[in-house]
Amino acid sequence: KICVNPPKRLENRGMIYTNIRENRGDIIMKIVLASDRNGLDYKKRLIQHLEEKGYELMDVGTYENVPCDTPVFAEKAAKLVASGECKYGILICATGTGMIITANKIKGVFCGMGYTDLVTQYMRQHNDANMIAFGQKHMGYEDVEHRVDIFLTTEFMGLHHAPRVQQIRDIEAGKEIHQTPIMNPNWK
């Protein structure tokens, strides 16, 4: 069930905060969005789409169609996800690449490119990604919107994917990793 409060836009630490929530039991999902000027149009449209669905949103910029530095906005969003203040993050620039590179520098962030529906689904199911990026100049808006919906509603599977995600966390912590044994002898 979606519980929608009237939208209130509040300035908060240089971010625009929309007080709309999706209520899944006790869980309130907060999502952060960031873009540079090349992703501004899609970000604005996604904010409207996600507000209609009842999500709690934070927009960390950019807010104007003027030249800006992509890493500034990707870092702000990634830190909010890494800290747990936001569950997921959505990043948009011309290609998505600069946003992904920047976000993945922040410990605890798993960001990938939503370039197909299936890749977006696997990003969550297999890799427990908590951020997704898009390239506005290379993707149609309807595809981006649909993939955001896939991303936000797909759960991590765990199972044999959990040790692989842990390996990524171990690399991030500076630990040495090793190949895990094949658990299914009939894998072929």
Side-chain angles (χ1 to χ4, degrees):
K1 293 204 172 198
I2 297 178
C3 187
V4 179
N5 300 322
K8 297 177 190 171
R9 286 190 146 341
L10 307 168
E11 287 297 323
N12 182 8
R13 293 182 291 170
M15 298 172 258
I16 294 176
Y17 176 81
T18 305
N19 189 13
I20 296 180
R21 299 171 181 218
E22 177 185 9
N23 188 349
R24 292 184 180 173
D26 295 358
I27 300 170
I28 297 171
M29 188 184 302
K30 189 186 294 186
I31 301 161
V32 62
L33 294 95
S35 72
D36 66 5
R37 70 184 178 126
N38 293 304
L40 188 57
D41 176 55
Y42 281 14
K43 183 182 72 172
K44 287 178 179 179
R45 292 167 71 181
L46 280 174
I47 287 171
Q48 182 177 353
H49 170 72
L50 295 170
E51 284 177 342
E52 289 170 3
K53 289 191 167 271
Y55 290 102
E56 185 173 344
L57 307 175
M58 291 182 83
D59 178 3
V60 296
T62 191
Y63 310 111
E64 300 177 290
N65 189 8
V66 296
C68 59
D69 297 322
T70 301
V72 171
F73 304 104
E75 179 193 33
K76 284 181 185 180
K79 285 183 174 180
L80 287 167
V81 171
S83 73
E85 188 170 343
C86 293
K87 182 168 182 174
Y88 297 121
I90 301 167
L91 306 172
I92 310 163
C93 64
T95 66
T97 305
M99 292 283 198
I100 290 172
I101 292 169
T102 303
N104 282 323
K105 297 292 183 185
I106 305 299
K107 184 177 181 179
V109 169
F110 287 52
C111 185
M113 178 75 71
Y115 59 91
T116 70
D117 293 355
L118 188 59
V119 166
T120 300
Q121 179 184 332
Y122 285 173
M123 193 183 313
R124 286 285 311 122
Q125 285 181 337
H126 297 187
N127 299 296
D128 200 17
N130 50 17
M131 296 189 80
I132 188 167
F134 300 100
Q136 181 172 310
K137 290 189 175 183
H138 302 278
M139 298 177 177
Y141 175 76
E142 291 75 21
D143 289 333
V144 169
E145 181 181 288
H146 180 66
R147 290 172 192 152
V148 165
D149 291 340
I150 291 169
F151 184 80
L152 297 176
T153 58
T154 302
E155 297 296 325
F156 177 52
M157 288 176 64
L159 305 170
H160 61 282
H161 301 290
R164 296 171 186 156
V165 171
Q166 185 58 50
Q167 286 176 325
I168 297 168
R169 294 186 196 290
D170 288 346
I171 291 168
E172 200 171 54
K175 297 179 183 177
E176 187 175 330
I177 64 168
H178 303 282
Q179 176 65 45
T180 55
I182 297 173
M183 295 182 197
N184 179 358
N186 301 316
W187 65 273
K188 293 182 183 181

